[in-house]
């Protein structure tokens, strides 16, 4: 790791101002992603700006829905009664992630910005288009067992966001509030926040240099309350998803009135599946409907040699999640 | 050595041996006082070395630009192949290697410009702080003319061959005509088993701190399973006499075989220390651990098993193909357990190797027997199902009453009792004989079992016991405690042997200034060190008895020494226990502040052969022929798994292990050993695999986030039991090791349970969800 300076910002203005002065500086909140990347020499920053004092806190119901400050910690949000009761999928996505120690440190904003676990990205000895544009993507013909099958390109097949929370946020129409150096705020739906790799996998989000995530807001609805997050992995805890599904259903008299579906572990980004939702809405809440929705969700899959199984696994995961929500 | 005292006869009274004594080193560990090899930070002027390793798997170093690194503050020296001091003897030279007690591969990096594997050290930076060294290492510009590597035996570019020898076993071995036996067998089963690369991943990485106390006196604090082997090897490589090197390992954070050897970093640290004239600490990073201390090689085995219609084995033909390094013909010897586990009339085994751009693989918990047991124990399960037999029944049908490989009786064997006890504890009788029939909600439920065995490896070592007149004792042997409980069990043995409470005993280990003993590996330490200490204590008694019977003031005066015994710290007449006195009285009158005894303990078939010398490479068959017994520990594992047929996940729901391994010195530490081994095996069965990129031959998951080992949530409560066993042939204490056997058969037990649950046989480890789903797509 390189030497760096560290300063604590007392306000958003001070924080963004520091990054304006020093473009290579980085914000640090919990540090659970950033420090890993710096220790592995995958990111180098001459300066770290600690944003933990910023007032991006609070978990509250607003007229737009549940608003979560970007500096709240994963464990706090995951265990908050409002979240547990009205947004079970979001609570589960947080509590099934990482370890208790990491959840106690990691912020919501940092979680949304965590970077891929693709082994080729995480080891600077490998070529990687995401890390060094134009250097190549050995994962295409290499160890792609854990990598994405939806939204991928010939440049990159990484699950650019490997985690869980944003999968649930993508499903439930979450909107991010961002603030730039001028103190100007803008609202970006989470589904438009991440970028597909295309030919520029190094560009991962629409976040502008120096811009901060202030909060995330999730509209409350019947389908957020009747929701679940199902995560499939190789061990029972402390592992990234091979496939996961965040689903919410509004079922009335056996018919699905509204549906929200997003998949994790299989997409180049948290994978909202409006195709699956269309296959669900207006249909009876039956296994046949769920199967059709799952097939629709994976229709565009582009598996490689070692992640072909994810096509079936993701469908089964989605069906199981839908069954659980429909039954509950 | 028939008149040698045996623990059974001389100390029948219950003492602390066999009691679940808590770890005597537990307090030091949880309070941080236990000092591990990377924690000798108080050494004057200690500086830090960091390795720079190769990005590519094959090529030649064309240049290393050290200028930017050199300019960094605190940098003391930078070593590359161009300026690394020459070794007196090097593993690259086959003649030199003969002088090494412990050398894991015939290659030493940085001796030339050659790069043979990704992660090979190509440079070393020494600086005043770890941070300075780490950062300077990132500034080294290493240019390598890369060549196309071979990634494994599966690489189309790889060529396989049958080696003359692997680890002392011939490349091809035959006992009887197994081919013919298989061809003519009424029941024929053929199956191929695949194993992923596994890494030991001890919590404590490899670490060496080297301190030249004088130009001819080197002290090394190293993470080694054998201080004595490391001492001899370092001395040879550095051109010193053995006594000029001292190796210290007071605590070890797990070894599992990877710390049994002198790997390059162990030698680089003293080279650097000598060059900069200061003590040097070198700790492998976690990624470097994956390419610094070996691994269990990826491999496949094909087993052709012939049996009668009743299920009796007629012959087995075994072939194994695996990856080795460019220089060594190394393979785990899987054939050993397949050859000996059952009453098998004919056996043939062939090893195929393919050289690839990797370091030499190495001993990994129960080397050979662990993967070998997967093949034989899954095939035995197949045989049971094919013939409609209970899996235990088919094993009893082929129960080996003697060792089929040499015709010798077993020194002890309680496997039948293990099957019975395990079945009872597990509730095996509730098993549905048909597979794929038991459900719990959406989950498929399966029961599986397998046999475990591990040989007694011959081993010899010394110990010293000093008993003070005040009833306290210091016990010493240059053994190592891998974290398994050696400190504790030897304290117990010494306490009973001396007739003093365990809190009066201090057992010192892990230092070459102590009496020389062999490494802790191959499950030899408990049997060897306990015997050495027990016999050394006998020498103390012999001296005290002699003093007493010659002392006119002693109640024992004039008695024959042979008629006097020690009972709980009291010397007394065998025939008249009332006549005697406490040992302290004898010592007081004789003005003895302490009495010392030393002895050599022997484990295995060398036990009854006083003239034999210890040698890890000793021909076991010859020794056993002389001893007339085959010596193995035996056991069994039972488990219940839950398989999710839609999500492909396998979870272990219940576990029972029953082991028979001679005298169990401490049921608490023994239980920990057994559950540790079983968990290690569950990891191999369900999740552990290191992947090398097929084109670049570099690991893609060399960290503990992506190399999955089981977490607590993967492991149910585990039941462990032991069958009491009296083995007078194995050593003076009747002890067999339990570290290795506890992993043997585990992967098969899990796979057999998955078969019972799903009706599908998974023969490729680990059994990850992708493979489970693939298997479930196939017809049952």
């Amino acid at each position: 790791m390189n030497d760096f300076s560290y300063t604590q910002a007392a306000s958003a203005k001070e924080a963004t101002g520091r990054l304006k002065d020093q473009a290579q500086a980085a914000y640090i909140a919990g540090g659970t992603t950033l420090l890993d990347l710096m220790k592995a020499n995958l990111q180098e920053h001459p300066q770290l700006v600690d944003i933990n004092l910023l007032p991006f806190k609070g978990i509250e119901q607003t007229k737009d829905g549940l608003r979560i400050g970007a500096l709240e910690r994963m464990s706090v949000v995951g265990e908050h009664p409002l979240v547990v009761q009205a947004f079970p999928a979001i609570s589960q996505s947080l509590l099934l992630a990482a370890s208790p120690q990491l959840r106690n440190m990691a912020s919501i904003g940092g979680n949304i910005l965590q970077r891929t676990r693709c082994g080729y990205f995480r080891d600077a000895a490998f070529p990687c288009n995401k890390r060094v544009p134009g250097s190549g993507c050995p994962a295409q013909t290499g160890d792609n067992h854990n990598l994405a099958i939806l939204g991928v390109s010939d440049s990159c097949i990484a699950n650019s966001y490997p985690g869980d929370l944003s999968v649930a946020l993508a499903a439930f129409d979450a909107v991010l509030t961002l603030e730039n150096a001028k103190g100007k705020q803008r609202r970006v739906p989470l589904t438009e926040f991440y970028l597909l790799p295309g030919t520029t996998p190094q560009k991962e989000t629409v976040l502008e240099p120096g811009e901060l995530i202030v909060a995330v807001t999730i509209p409350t609805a019947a389908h957020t309350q009747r929701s679940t997050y199902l995560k499939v992995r190789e061990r029972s805890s402390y592992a990234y998803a091979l496939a996961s599904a965040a689903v919410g259903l509004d079922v009335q008299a056996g018919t699905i009135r509204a549906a929200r579906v997003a998949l994790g572990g299989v997409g180049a980004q948290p994978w909202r599946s409006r195709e699956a939702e269309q296959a669900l809405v207006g249909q009876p809440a039956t296994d046949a409907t769920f199967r059709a929705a799952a097939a629709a969700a994976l229709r565009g899959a582009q598996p490689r040699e070692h992640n072909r199984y994810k096509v079936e696994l993701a469908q089964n995961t989605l069906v199981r999640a839908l069954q659980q929500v429909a039954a509950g | 050595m028939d008149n040698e005292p045996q623990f059974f006869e001389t100390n029948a009274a219950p003492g602390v041996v066999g009691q679940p004594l808590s770890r005597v080193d537990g307090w030091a560990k949880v309070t941080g006082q236990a000092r591990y090899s990377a924690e000798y930070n108080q050494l004057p002027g200690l500086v830090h070395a960091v390795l720079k390793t190769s990005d590519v798997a094959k090529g030649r170093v064309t240049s290393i630009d050290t200028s930017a690194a050199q300019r960094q503050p605190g940098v003391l020296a930078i070593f590359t192949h161009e300026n690394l001091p020459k070794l007196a003897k090097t593993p690259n030279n086959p003649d030199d290697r003969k002088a090494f007690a412990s050398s894991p591969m015939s290659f030493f990096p940085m001796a030339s410009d050659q790069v043979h594997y990704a992660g090979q050290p190509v440079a070393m930076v020494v600086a005043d702080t770890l941070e300075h060294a780490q950062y300077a290492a990132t500034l080294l510009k290493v240019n390598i003319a890369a060549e196309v590597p071979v990634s494994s035996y599966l690489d189309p570019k790889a060529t396989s061959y049958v080696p003359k020898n692997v680890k002392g076993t011939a490349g091809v071995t035959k006992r009887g005509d197994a081919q013919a036996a298989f061809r003519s067998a009424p029941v024929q089963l053929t199956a191929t088993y695949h194993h992923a690369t596994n890494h030991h991943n001890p919590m404590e990485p490899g670490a060496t701190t080297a301190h030249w106390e004088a130009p001819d006196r080197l002290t090394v604090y190293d993470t080694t399973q054998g201080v004595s082997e490391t001492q001899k090897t370092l001395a040879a490589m550095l051109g010193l006499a053995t006594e000029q090197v001292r190796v210290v390992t007071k605590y070890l954070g797990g070894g599992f075989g990877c710390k049994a050897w002198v790997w390059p970093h162990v030698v680089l640290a003293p080279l650097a220390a000598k060059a900069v004239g200061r003590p040097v600490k070198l700790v492998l990073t976690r990624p470097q651990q994956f390419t610094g201390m070996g691994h269990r090689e990826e491999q496949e085995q094909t087993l052709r098993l012939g049996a009668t219609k009743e299920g009796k084995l007629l012959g087995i033909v075994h072939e194994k193909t695996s990856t080795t390094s460019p220089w060594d013909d190394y393979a785990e010897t899987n054939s050993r357990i397949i050859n000996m586990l059952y009453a098998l009339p004919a056996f043939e085994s062939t090893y195929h190797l393919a050289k690839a751009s990797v370091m030499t693989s190495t001993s990994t918990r129960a080397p050979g027997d662990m993967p070998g047991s997967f093949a034989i124990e899954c095939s035995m399960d197949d045989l049971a199902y094919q013939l409609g037999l209970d899996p235990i029944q088919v094993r009893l049908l082929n129960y080996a009453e003697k060792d089929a490989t040499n015709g010798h009786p077993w020194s002890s064997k309680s496997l039948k009792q293990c099957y019975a006890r395990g079945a009872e504890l597990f509730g095996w009788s509730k098993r549905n004989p048909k597979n794929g029939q038991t459900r719990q909600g959406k989950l498929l439920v399966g029961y599986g079992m397998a046999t475990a065995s591990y040989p007694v490896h011959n081993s010899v070592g010394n110990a010293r016991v000093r008993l003070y007149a005040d009833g306290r004792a210091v016990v010493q042997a240059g053994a190592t405690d891998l974290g398994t409980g050696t400190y504790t069990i030897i304290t117990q043995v010494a306490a009973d042997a001396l007739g003093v409470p365990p809190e009066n005993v201090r057992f010192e280990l892990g230092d070459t200034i102590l009496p020389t003993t062999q490494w802790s590996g191959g499950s030899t330490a408990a049997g060897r060190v306990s015997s050495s200490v027990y016999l050394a204590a006998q020498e103390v008694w012999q001296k005290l008895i002699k003093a007493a019977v010659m002392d006119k003031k002693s109640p024992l005066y004039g008695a024959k020494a042979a008629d006097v015994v020690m009972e709980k710290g009291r010397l007394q007449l065998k025939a008249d226990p009332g006549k005697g006195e406490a040992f302290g009285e004898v010592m007081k009158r004789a003005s003895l502040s302490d009495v010392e005894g030393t002895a050599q303990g022997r484990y295995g078939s060398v036990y009854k052969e006083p003239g034999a010398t210890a040698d890890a490479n000793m021909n076991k068959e010859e020794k056993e022929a002389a001893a007339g017994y085959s010596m193995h520990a035996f056991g069994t594992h039972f488990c219940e798994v839950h398989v999710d047929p839609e999500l492909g996940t396998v979870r272990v729901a219940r576990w029972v292990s029953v082991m028979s391994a001679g005298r169990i010195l401490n049921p608490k530490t023994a239980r920990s050993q057994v559950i540790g081994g079983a968990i290690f095996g569950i990891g191999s069965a369900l999740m552990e695999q290191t992947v090398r990129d097929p084109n670049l031959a570099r690991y893609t998951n060399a960290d503990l986030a992506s190399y999955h080992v089981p977490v607590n949530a993967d492991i149910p409560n585990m039941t462990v039991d032991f069958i009491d066993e009296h083995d007078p042939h194995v050593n003076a204490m009747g002890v067999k090791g339990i570290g290795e056997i506890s992993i043997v058969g585990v992967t098969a037990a899990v796979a057999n349970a998955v078969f019972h649950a799903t009706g599908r046989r998974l023969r490729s480890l680990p059994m990850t969800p992708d493979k489970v789903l693939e298997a479930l797509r196939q017809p049952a």
Side-chain angles (χ1 to χ4, degrees):
Chain A
M1 186 164 27
N2 59 296
D3 282 353
F4 58 87
S5 65
Y6 166 88
T7 45
Q8 203 163 33
S11 67
K13 193 163 187 276
E14 186 189 343
T16 53
R18 297 246 179 221
L19 257 71
K20 222 165 112 184
D21 296 343
Q22 171 54 270
Q24 299 307 311
Y27 297 127
I28 181 166
T32 55
T33 283
L34 183 72
L35 294 182
D36 271 1
L37 293 165
M38 289 179 72
K39 282 192 229 171
N41 301 304
L42 300 171
Q43 287 184 205
E44 284 188 25
H45 303 287
Q47 186 180 23
L48 294 187
V49 180
D50 186 331
I51 57 171
N52 285 301
L53 292 181
L54 272 49
F56 300 166
K57 298 276 173 66
I59 302 167
E60 56 195 343
Q61 271 295 351
T62 67
K63 62 175 174 38
D64 297 329
L66 178 76
R67 186 181 190 280
I68 302 168
L71 285 170
E72 291 292 346
R73 305 294 153 176
M74 287 173 73
S75 53
V76 174
V77 179
E79 287 157 16
H80 195 281
L82 261 182
V83 183
V84 173
Q85 284 153 28
F87 300 87
I90 289 180
S91 168
Q92 291 155 10
S93 75
L94 286 162
L95 298 182
L96 290 171
S99 66
Q101 295 89 336
L102 288 166
R103 294 196 294 267
N104 286 340
M105 283 300 289
S107 70
I108 296 300
N111 180 298
I112 291 167
L113 289 173
Q114 67 183 290
R115 304 192 71 189
T116 183
R117 304 305 304 197
C118 172
Y120 297 94
F121 172 82
R122 290 265 161 182
D123 179 352
F126 280 118
C128 170
N129 287 327
K130 188 185 271 299
R131 198 166 17 78
V132 183
S135 61
C137 178
Q140 304 277 352
T141 55
D143 173 19
N144 44 45
H145 182 266
N146 296 336
L147 301 180
I149 55 174
L150 289 162
V152 294
S153 74
D154 290 343
S155 294
C156 182
I157 55 172
N159 321 66
S160 194
Y161 172 87
D164 302 292
L165 171 65
S166 281
V167 179
L169 294 179
F172 299 111
D173 309 297
V175 176
L176 300 179
T177 302
L178 311 178
E179 182 171 325
N180 68 11
K182 291 175 188 147
K184 206 174 151 224
Q185 292 200 344
R186 60 170 175 146
R187 289 165 61 83
V188 177
L190 187 113
T191 49
E192 293 166 27
F193 180 74
Y194 296 105
L195 299 171
L196 287 176
T199 56
T200 54
Q202 72 276 17
K203 290 187 184 162
E204 297 178 342
T205 70
V206 301
L207 205 65
E208 287 167 10
E211 206 169 18
L212 282 161
I213 301 177
V214 174
V216 53
T217 306
I218 311 119
T220 315
H223 57 250
T224 61
Q225 185 139 14
R226 197 167 177 177
S227 69
T228 198
Y229 183 76
L230 180 67
K231 181 175 182 180
V232 181
R233 41 190 165 172
E234 286 176 4
R235 62 180 171 190
S236 301
S237 182
Y238 199 44
Y240 289 90
L242 298 174
S244 69
V247 305
L249 291 179
D250 180 3
V251 183
Q252 285 171 26
T255 300
I256 300 166
R257 298 292 169 198
R260 292 293 182 275
V261 172
L263 298 174
V266 290
Q269 63 185 37
W271 199 257
R272 173 76 176 262
S273 180
R274 295 183 203 275
E275 298 83 353
E277 292 168 10
Q278 278 162 17
L280 291 166
V281 173
Q283 300 299 317
T286 60
D287 283 1
T289 301
F290 300 155
R291 287 249 148 249
L298 272 297
R299 201 152 284 147
Q302 300 169 266
R304 264 62 176 175
E305 185 183 355
H306 302 292
N307 60 8
R308 209 164 292 279
Y309 73 99
K310 285 195 171 189
V311 178
E312 180 187 358
L313 179 61
Q315 291 188 52
N316 291 355
T317 305
L318 178 52
V319 169
R320 178 71 63 82
L322 289 165
Q323 286 169 338
Q324 283 177 2
V325 172
Chain B
M1 225 180 181
D2 285 330
N3 57 351
E4 183 181 274
Q6 284 197 359
F7 194 81
F8 309 102
E9 297 149 16
T10 54
N11 193 347
V16 288
V17 165
Q19 298 300 310
L21 195 72
S22 290
R23 285 167 193 272
V24 298
D25 51 338
W27 185 254
K29 283 187 172 173
V30 299
T31 55
Q33 293 169 63
R35 193 177 290 171
Y36 290 79
S37 300
E39 297 181 320
Y40 287 81
N41 298 321
Q42 85 296 355
L43 293 174
L46 178 75
V47 295
H48 300 264
V50 163
L51 298 180
K52 172 79 176 174
T53 61
S54 173
D55 288 353
V56 303
K58 191 170 188 220
R60 272 171 190 277
V61 178
T62 53
S63 69
I64 300 181
D65 180 356
T66 62
S67 54
Q70 205 75 252
R71 284 195 299 273
Q72 286 303 305
V75 171
L76 299 167
I78 298 173
F79 299 95
T80 70
H81 66 281
E82 287 176 342
N83 67 342
L84 187 76
K86 292 277 169 281
L87 294 170
K89 284 185 163 43
T90 159
N92 302 37
N93 181 336
D95 286 336
D96 286 2
R97 263 171 70 83
K98 289 176 192 152
F100 300 162
S102 157
S103 182
M105 59 179 183
S106 326
F107 175 71
F108 194 81
M110 292 170 62
S112 76
D113 60 359
Q114 294 273 358
V115 171
H116 286 298
Y117 55 96
Q120 176 189 319
V122 290
M124 173 170 59
V125 178
V126 185
D128 57 347
T129 68
L130 176 62
E131 290 77 12
H132 281 150
Q134 282 174 332
Y135 184 58
T138 68
L139 299 178
L140 293 170
K141 291 192 189 71
V142 180
N143 294 308
I144 297 173
E147 296 161 34
V148 178
V150 175
S151 65
S152 77
Y153 76 87
L154 294 163
D155 192 321
K157 298 187 291 295
T159 42
S160 85
Y161 62 99
V162 176
K164 212 169 133 200
N165 270 294
V166 286
K167 280 186 74 190
T169 297
V172 180
T173 53
K174 292 181 186 180
R175 178 166 63 78
D177 191 344
Q179 298 277 5
F182 174 77
R183 272 197 308 273
S184 60
V187 178
Q188 299 179 350
L189 298 175
T190 299
T192 298
Y193 301 87
H194 290 261
H195 301 253
T197 305
N198 277 193
H199 274 81
H200 316 73
N201 271 317
M203 259 199 283
E204 176 202 38
T208 306
T209 306
H211 182 202
W212 291 85
E213 300 188 49
D216 59 355
R217 206 145 52 84
L218 170 68
T219 298
V220 172
Y221 307 89
D222 184 43
T223 53
T224 177
Q225 295 174 220
V227 289
S228 182
E229 288 79 0
T230 297
Q231 173 196 37
K232 289 176 196 140
T233 309
L234 272 181
M237 290 172 94
L238 298 171
L240 298 167
T242 301
E243 58 86 16
Q244 291 173 321
V245 178
R246 177 182 173 194
V247 177
V248 178
T249 307
K250 286 295 176 186
Y251 294 93
L252 203 66
F256 314 119
C258 75
K259 291 176 181 164
W261 310 100
V262 177
W263 296 101
H265 70 272
V266 183
V267 189
L268 289 171
L271 286 180
K274 181 138 206 175
V276 302
R278 294 167 74 170
V280 165
K281 173 158 88 175
L282 197 172
V283 182
L284 298 184
T285 64
R286 185 57 62 176
Q288 286 170 357
Q289 184 70 34
F290 282 80
T291 51
M293 300 182 86
H295 56 273
R296 195 195 293 276
E297 69 268 18
E298 66 275 14
Q299 54 192 281
E300 65 182 61
Q301 327 172 56
T302 297
L303 203 73
R304 288 187 287 148
L305 179 155
T308 67
K309 277 185 290 220
E310 292 72 37
K312 278 191 91 79
L313 294 173
L314 295 169
I316 291 180
V317 180
H318 175 254
E319 292 192 66
K320 163 169 165 164
T321 306
S322 57
T323 306
T324 190
S325 66
W327 340 277
D328 292 313
D329 289 341
Y330 185 97
E332 295 180 275
T333 48
N334 301 22
S335 56
R336 175 170 64 197
I337 191 167
I338 302 169
N339 196 0
M340 60 63 65
L341 198 56
Y342 294 106
L344 176 67
F347 179 68
E348 180 178 325
S349 144
T350 308
Y351 289 87
H352 304 266
L353 294 175
K355 294 193 181 299
S357 311
V358 293
M359 73 189 308
T360 308
S361 48
T362 202
S363 51
T364 309
R365 204 164 193 169
D369 303 276
M370 188 272 204
S373 69
F374 181 59
I376 179 68
E377 286 301 279
C378 287
S379 285
M380 290 301 280
D381 210 55
D382 282 338
L383 184 62
Y385 280 96
Q386 176 143 341
L387 299 178
L389 297 171
D390 184 287
I392 296 177
Q393 200 186 340
V394 83
R395 286 166 172 85
L396 290 174
L397 196 62
N398 290 287
Y399 195 82
E401 297 290 358
K402 57 182 186 176
D403 187 342
T405 67
N406 56 19
H408 292 142
W410 307 103
S411 64
S412 59
K413 180 176 183 179
S414 313
L415 181 55
K416 279 182 184 163
Q417 295 92 314
C418 291
Y419 289 140
R421 182 74 180 134
E424 178 196 338
L425 287 169
F426 183 80
W428 185 254
S429 60
K430 295 193 198 77
R431 169 182 170 274
N432 186 328
K434 283 196 163 152
N435 56 24
Q437 302 293 312
T438 312
R439 280 184 176 259
Q440 195 177 96
K442 284 183 183 291
L443 301 176
L444 309 177
V445 177
Y447 290 4
M449 58 81 58
T451 310
S453 178
Y454 193 77
V456 169
H457 292 303
N458 294 326
S459 156
V460 176
N462 303 323
R464 177 163 55 224
V465 168
R466 185 185 291 163
L467 178 65
Y468 289 88
D470 65 359
R472 299 187 64 86
V474 174
V475 177
Q476 298 176 322
T480 41
D481 184 336
L482 277 60
T484 48
T486 311
Y487 273 114
T488 309
I489 58 171
I490 299 305
T491 299
Q492 290 172 272
V493 169
D496 277 11
L498 293 170
V500 299
E503 55 271 24
N504 278 18
V505 175
R506 187 171 81 239
F507 176 46
E508 298 178 343
L509 54 65
D511 194 327
T512 50
I513 63 172
L514 302 176
T516 302
T517 191
Q518 287 183 308
W519 65 319
S520 289
S523 282
T524 58
R528 179 188 64 248
V529 184
S530 66
S531 298
S532 314
V533 167
Y534 171 71
L535 295 174
Q538 300 310 310
E539 192 177 295
V540 170
W541 295 125
Q542 293 314 312
K543 287 181 181 175
L544 283 167
I545 290 169
K546 213 165 159 187
V549 298
M550 289 167 68
D551 181 351
K552 286 180 183 159
K553 291 181 181 158
S554 171
L556 296 167
Y557 176 68
K560 275 194 206 149
D563 294 340
V564 182
V565 293
M566 187 282 289
E567 184 67 41
K568 294 190 173 168
R570 203 179 122 86
L571 305 176
Q572 58 197 34
L573 281 181
K574 214 182 287 181
D576 181 7
K579 200 165 180 189
E581 63 178 331
F583 67 83
E585 299 302 314
V586 181
M587 291 170 77
K588 211 184 295 170
R589 283 195 308 274
S591 298
L592 292 169
S593 78
D594 60 82
V595 175
E596 206 167 276
T598 60
Q600 189 185 60
R602 296 153 179 273
Y603 179 61
S605 44
V606 289
Y607 169 46
K608 297 281 172 106
E609 279 181 66
T613 52
D615 178 353
N617 300 317
M618 178 178 284
N619 185 330
K620 183 171 154 60
E621 284 72 32
E622 282 173 18
K623 293 293 154 206
E624 286 184 341
Y629 293 99
S630 269
M631 302 182 183
H632 283 253
F634 292 92
T636 181
H637 302 284
F638 289 80
C639 74
E640 175 181 331
V641 300
H642 294 172
V643 180
D644 190 315
E646 287 151 16
L647 306 182
T649 51
V650 180
R651 299 288 182 251
V652 175
R654 289 197 297 133
W655 194 272
V656 172
S657 296
V658 180
M659 296 288 149
S660 58
R663 175 192 300 274
I664 297 301
L665 295 169
N666 181 328
K668 188 187 273 190
T669 55
R671 177 181 187 276
S672 292
Q673 283 267 62
V674 174
I675 64 172
I679 292 168
F680 211 121
I682 290 170
S684 268
L686 298 179
M687 61 194 82
E688 291 194 39
Q689 59 180 327
T690 338
V691 180
R692 273 193 302 279
D693 180 88
N695 304 305
L696 302 169
R698 183 178 174 85
Y699 289 115
T700 62
N701 63 334
D703 64 56
L704 289 177
S706 38
Y707 182 89
H708 289 161
V709 298
V711 295
N712 283 324
D714 292 307
I715 303 301
N717 282 331
M718 303 178 100
T719 301
V720 176
D721 204 1
F722 298 99
I723 302 296
D724 278 337
E725 209 173 50
H726 178 122
D727 190 331
H729 308 294
V730 71
N731 53 31
M733 292 292 297
V735 169
K736 299 180 198 168
I738 46 170
E740 312 270 12
I741 187 176
S742 54
I743 195 175
V744 179
V746 170
T747 51
V750 176
N752 293 344
V754 170
F755 181 70
H756 185 234
T758 64
R760 270 72 161 192
R761 177 65 69 183
L762 276 83
R763 300 185 201 270
S764 172
L765 300 180
M767 294 177 274
T768 43
D770 53 325
K771 293 178 190 166
V772 175
L773 291 177
E774 171 66 31
L776 284 163
R777 274 198 295 272
Q778 311 305 323

